[in-house]
Amino acid sequence: MAVQHTIQIHNGADVTALRRRRLRIEVVRGPDKKARGDFDGDRVVIGTHEGCDLVLSDSTVSRQHVEIVLVPDGYRIRDLDSKNGTFMDGLRVHDVVVEGAAALRIGETQIKATPLSETVELALSPATRMGPLLGRSAKMRRVFAVIGKVAPTDATVLLTGESGCGKEVAARAIHEHSHRADAPFVVVDCAALPPTLIESELYGHERGAFTGADRARVGAFESASGGTLFLDEIGELPLDLQTRLLGVLERRIVQPLGSNRTRAIDVRIVAATNRDLRREVNRGSFRADLYFRIAVVSVEMPPLRERPEDVALYVEAFLAEQAGAGRPFAIDAAAMAELASRPWPGNVRELRNTLERAAALGEIDTGAAALLPEAAETTASSSDAEMTMVLADPSVPFKTGKGLLIDRFERAYVEALMQRHAGNITQAARAAEIDRVYLLRLLDKFGLRTTKRGGS
């Protein structure tokens, strides 16, 4: 009989809290033998860096070597692209789920992870909305509870999660619930700017600082003075720019390009990425000291496929927007159920794009159920040309449209690839000429993994 690791506590029909089992991790062999810790958080990171939850001294262990994450059916053990790997039962593992105790070897250290009978109760926010964020699911209400605690502080926050899951919306919610709410909220998309312009965007420049600088420019740090600076896709910053950013965050001063004067800054930093920066640290493509500087508090935004009960909230909000704009329409129960059942690789962003297309064309792009305009008696299927025009709608941000296209290609490609190779991950990765670990990530991203141990 499977052991429940997370229990929902109800007050009538409402879930008010989560009760979770503590996890004991102990070192049974290696330089840190007898080291032990009992943990009750969502995840535990083990490595040699002082910022890890369990810090080891074994030189064969990476700075952030492995994480153990509580999931509905047990514990998910993920190697963070460590140098020497993570092993279970003699097999090197990248991403596995276990229900009970697990014996692991990382470097020259052997550890044992054991779920305890002792539990801890984690409160959930009673709200289903926090600023622009929506969610009635336990996962989102847990996010609301964390944001509610961290927002009034000036702690730097790192938001992680897949593309389209609402990281910028969460950053705005943090800003709106802080004492800086009346000051500016400034966004810098680190992925959308060429490296040559990022420094100017962040720190500003003087006239004549470089070719084309025909006037002085105030940078984002100064523009956000007294408020919040949101650094989106911070994982895309080149290493040399990471070094300068670290210096700015530590000294709290900026020096515009072409200037010999420094200026003090007073901003709260919220950063976001769809990359796993711990893996990037182990690969040497992201500075460890910058990671721990921005990840004072980490909040992981859950993908939409893990919270289908929230789909109706987003649909209702969109319908209210359309009604307010004089374009009312309705969705029948079958259509709502079909929307909730989709995997949504593009997350909330893809759902909203789907609803916008439906509002424009008069139907959801599925044969299972239809979206019904209140003023229309009949609707016709859109042509390929119409769909192309909607997909390339210039009213949709370029990054949003591009991300949705990439997500759809990746999902379709991976589904066809795995079907051709009968689910054999090794063969599929070799045929596609991609790394096996990267293929596993794609399978997880789209909910296509068919085995808990990660492949054939």
Side-chain angles (χ1 to χ4, degrees), residues 318-333:
F318 181 81
L319 295 180
E321 287 178 16
Q322 294 297 304
R327 297 186 296 270
F329 59 92
I331 294 180
D332 63 28

Side-chain angles (χ1 to χ4, degrees), residues 209-229:
F210 50 84
T211 302
D214 56 355
R215 67 185 66 183
R217 175 189 175 91
V218 175
F221 273 96
E222 289 188 82
S223 297
S225 180
T228 301
L229 176 58

Side-chain angles (χ1 to χ4, degrees), residues 11-233:
N11 178 12
D14 296 327
V15 179
T16 59
L18 297 176
R19 181 174 292 139
R20 292 183 170 177
R21 301 180 69 188
R22 291 182 181 270
L23 180 68
R24 173 167 295 168
I25 301 177
E26 49 193 332
V27 179
V28 296
R29 181 180 298 176
D32 305 285
K33 186 177 180 180
K34 295 186 179 180
R36 190 180 79 176
D38 292 347
F39 302 93
D40 52 37
D42 294 334
R43 64 193 62 236
V44 180
V45 179
I46 304 171
T48 58
H49 195 281
E50 61 184 10
C52 292
D53 300 296
L54 181 63
V55 181
L56 303 178
S57 62
D58 185 351
S59 61
T60 62
V61 172
S62 295
R63 284 175 289 189
Q64 296 182 84
H65 195 109
V66 64
E67 75 168 358
I68 303 176
V69 184
L70 181 64
V71 293
D73 49 351
Y75 291 94
R76 183 179 182 186
I77 299 170
R78 297 175 61 227
D79 181 81
L80 300 175
D81 286 356
S82 63
K83 181 178 179 181
N84 292 315
T86 298
F87 294 82
M88 179 186 297
D89 298 330
L91 299 175
R92 184 165 185 166
V93 297
H94 298 283
D95 194 335
V96 297
V97 174
V98 297
E99 291 186 353
L104 304 173
R105 178 170 65 82
I106 58 175
E108 298 299 324
T109 294
Q110 291 188 4
I111 60 176
K112 183 179 180 180
T114 308
L116 303 177
S117 57
E118 181 183 357
T119 61
V120 61
E121 191 170 303
L122 303 177
L124 301 179
S125 170
T128 58
R129 175 189 291 269
M130 175 167 279
L133 278 178
L134 301 175
R136 62 166 59 99
S137 63
K139 286 193 174 185
M140 280 305 295
R141 288 167 57 208
R142 178 63 184 155
V143 169
F144 294 165
V146 174
I147 289 178
K149 288 182 179 180
V150 73
T153 75
D154 271 338
T156 302
V157 179
L158 177 63
L159 299 165
T160 62
E162 298 175 6
S163 177
C165 65
K167 297 186 289 295
E168 182 174 342
V169 179
R172 290 185 182 275
I174 292 172
H175 174 72
E176 292 173 6
H177 286 76
S178 74
H179 64 89
R180 298 174 178 268
D182 293 331
F185 177 81
V186 177
V187 179
V188 174
D189 188 343
C190 300
L193 294 169
T196 53
L197 294 182
I198 291 178
E199 285 191 288
S200 173
E201 183 74 18
L202 289 173
Y203 315 125
H205 65 255
E206 299 293 343
R207 180 180 179 184
F210 50 84
T211 302
D214 56 355
R215 67 185 66 183
R217 175 189 175 91
V218 175
F221 273 96
E222 289 188 82
S223 297
S225 180
T228 301
L229 176 58
F230 176 52
L231 300 176
D232 196 12
E233 300 302 348

Side-chain angles (χ1 to χ4, degrees), residues 427-438:
Q427 290 181 7
R430 187 181 299 118
E433 298 183 6
I434 59 176
D435 183 76
R436 186 177 186 275
V437 175
Y438 181 66

